[in-house]
């Protein structure tokens, strides 16, 4: 009996040791599979573009939203023949902070924060796919600057489908023609009033601005990189300067379209009560009332926002891609 009990105990110990060894091997295999999956995903161009673009969007909104608030207020202050409330960007900032506090500069930030995450993820992923398709049609040769600009225009047209609703919600929150308690409340109000089509108020202005602007942005960025980074080192300082120059060019070119877009989005929510019948009618009315200067409202805060903001955007995208490639 003693020998039998000893044998059983020995067998059970061996079984437990075997199960423990199997469990450890199983844990190790699961960890190895997880690491392999993470490595595979981190090196996927599509995943890199989505994650890096998302991070870039966050950095752009964090640094640029106060200037965007000032820009929108300047662009829409003379609507419907009202007397201008602000004499310039500094006056607008001073009055906004006096009336609404520092938080007034960040009013409506949740919509562009989420929107820019999606917008930039979509932007860089779509751009990469469009450029790859164009390179394939080009026989594998690198794209020229005009071709890069064309790829940017096509990308912008796609991104505007995502961007337009977030731009609308942001504008409505910044202007507060209706006292919305939150961005969600703004979305709910617009949807209940006019349905999902209300999300695309001012879409024509957004589509034209984003399509043309993306072509200018990526074309300028390509020119600057070819001049400043001929050796292909891709230093972060070079990327920042190139991105800043691209943001400056983008803002300068699209400011008139951006002003029209802001006016269309600030118009009445109900189509029957709107002041403007469309993009062209809006441009005509603005010119008749205020002349050419009406189309350059908000240029200075836009330049202050876009120049360092776009430099930071491309640097963030590059850094995140490098980190992911090293995983």
């Amino acid at each position: 009996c003693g020998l039998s009990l000893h044998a059983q105990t020995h067998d059970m110990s061996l079984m437990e040791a075997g199960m423990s060894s199997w469990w450890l091997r199983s844990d190790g295999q699961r960890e190895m599979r997880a690491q392999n999956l993470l490595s595979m995903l981190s090196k996927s161009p599509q995943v890199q573009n989505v994650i890096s673009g998302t991070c870039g969007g966050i950095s752009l909104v964090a640094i640029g939203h106060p200037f965007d608030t000032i820009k929108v207020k300047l662009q829409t202050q003379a609507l419907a023949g009202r007397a201008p409330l602000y004499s310039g960007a500094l006056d607008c900032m001073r009055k906004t902070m006096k009336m609404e506090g520092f938080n007034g500069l960040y009013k409506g930030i949740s919509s562009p924060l989420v929107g820019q995450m999606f917008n930039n993820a979509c932007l860089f992923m779509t751009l990469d796919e469009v450029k790859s398709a164009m390179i394939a049609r080009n026989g594998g040769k690198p794209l020229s600057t005009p071709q890069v600009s064309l790829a940017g225009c096509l990308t912008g047209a796609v991104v505007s489908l995502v961007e337009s609703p977030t731009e609308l919600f942001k504008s409505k929150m910044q202007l507060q023609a209706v006292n919305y308690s939150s961005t969600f409340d703004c979305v709910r109000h617009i949807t209940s009033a006019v349905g999902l089509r209300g999300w695309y108020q001012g879409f024509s202005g957004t589509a034209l601005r984003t399509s043309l602007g993306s072509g200018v942005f990526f074309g300028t960025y390509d020119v600057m990189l070819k001049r400043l980074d001929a050796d292909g080192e891709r230093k972060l300082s070079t990327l920042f300067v190139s991105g800043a120059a691209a943001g400056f060019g983008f803002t300068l070119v699209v400011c008139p379209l951006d002003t029209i877009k802001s006016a269309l989005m600030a118009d009445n929510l109900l189509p029957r009560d709107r002041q403007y019948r469309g993009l062209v009618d809006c441009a005509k009315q603005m010119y008749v009332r205020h002349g050419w200067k009406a189309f350059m409202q908000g240029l200075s805060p836009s330049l202050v926002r876009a120049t360092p903001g776009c430099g930071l955007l491309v640097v963030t995208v590059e850094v995140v891609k490098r980190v992911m490639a090293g995983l």
Side-chain angles (χ1 to χ4, degrees):
C1 290
L3 289 175
S4 175
L5 180 61
H6 177 73
Q8 289 177 3
T9 303
H10 180 67
D11 289 343
M12 289 180 65
S13 298
L14 289 177
M15 184 179 298
E16 289 175 357
M19 290 180 66
S20 176
S21 176
W22 173 84
W23 181 257
L24 289 174
R25 286 200 306 272
S26 180
D27 270 358
Q29 289 172 352
R30 282 198 295 269
E31 184 177 347
M32 184 176 297
R33 284 197 295 268
Q35 289 177 347
N36 290 338
L37 179 61
L38 177 62
S39 178
M40 181 181 69
L41 289 175
S42 66
K43 289 175 175 56
S44 165
Q46 291 83 359
V47 175
Q48 285 185 0
N49 285 323
V50 169
I51 295 179
S52 63
T54 299
C55 295
I58 294 172
S59 66
L60 181 61
V61 173
I63 193 174
H65 189 75
F67 301 104
D68 189 74
T69 299
I70 295 168
K71 177 207 73 171
V72 171
K73 289 191 173 189
L74 288 173
Q75 288 176 336
T76 57
Q77 66 174 333
L79 294 179
R82 297 180 226 146
L85 297 173
Y86 316 108
S87 59
L90 291 177
D91 183 54
C92 179
M93 177 179 285
R94 181 179 61 82
K95 288 181 178 177
T96 299
M97 292 184 67
K98 182 179 179 180
M99 296 175 62
E100 305 176 43
F102 182 76
N103 290 339
L105 297 175
Y106 280 92
K107 185 175 288 184
I109 192 174
S110 57
S111 175
L113 183 60
V114 175
Q116 284 294 337
M117 290 166 63
F118 282 108
N119 293 348
N120 283 283
C122 181
L123 178 72
F124 287 98
M125 182 178 68
T126 305
L127 179 69
D128 190 62
E129 294 297 325
V130 171
K131 288 173 69 175
S132 296
M134 292 179 68
I135 289 173
R137 290 177 62 87
N138 207 30
K141 298 178 183 178
L143 299 180
S144 63
T145 297
Q147 289 174 319
V148 172
S149 294
L150 176 59
C153 287
L154 295 173
T155 300
V158 174
V159 171
S160 62
L161 295 170
V162 178
E163 183 181 26
S164 191
T166 58
E167 282 286 305
L168 176 70
F169 304 146
K170 178 200 70 177
S171 295
K172 296 293 188 186
M173 286 294 296
Q174 287 170 330
L175 297 173
Q176 287 286 333
V178 175
N179 190 24
Y180 303 115
S181 60
S182 64
T183 301
F184 178 78
D185 181 52
C186 175
V187 175
R188 184 188 59 78
H189 179 84
I190 292 173
T191 306
S192 62
V194 287
L196 291 178
R197 65 174 183 168
W199 292 20
Y200 284 90
Q201 179 180 339
F203 173 71
S204 57
T206 305
L208 190 57
R209 182 207 64 166
T210 304
S211 181
L212 177 62
S214 296
V216 172
F217 180 89
F218 288 110
T220 305
Y221 185 67
D222 185 68
V223 168
M224 294 297 295
L225 273 186
K226 286 176 179 176
R227 289 182 177 274
L228 301 178
D229 193 41
D231 54 4
E233 290 185 14
R234 297 184 71 81
K235 295 179 180 178
L236 295 183
S237 57
T238 301
L239 297 179
F240 181 85
V241 172
S242 300
F248 185 90
F250 168 90
T251 303
L252 202 60
V253 170
V254 305
C255 186
L257 291 172
D258 192 61
T259 304
I260 296 170
K261 182 268 301 179
S262 294
L264 290 171
M265 289 185 170
D267 207 352
N268 198 292
L269 191 60
L270 301 177
R272 66 175 180 271
D273 296 330
R274 287 177 188 167
Q275 179 181 356
Y276 307 115
R277 295 191 302 273
L279 188 145
V280 175
D281 180 58
C282 179
K284 286 181 179 178
Q285 290 194 43
M286 290 175 67
Y287 177 71
V288 169
R289 285 201 304 268
H290 306 289
W292 288 109
K293 66 178 182 179
F295 299 103
M296 303 307 289
Q297 291 289 327
L299 178 60
S300 55
S302 294
L303 289 174
V304 173
R305 167 186 176 267
T307 303
C310 289
L312 181 61
L313 168 66
V314 296
V315 167
T316 302
V317 168
E318 180 69 18
V319 168
V320 172
K321 284 185 175 181
R322 290 180 186 182
V323 171
M324 294 183 68
L327 292 177

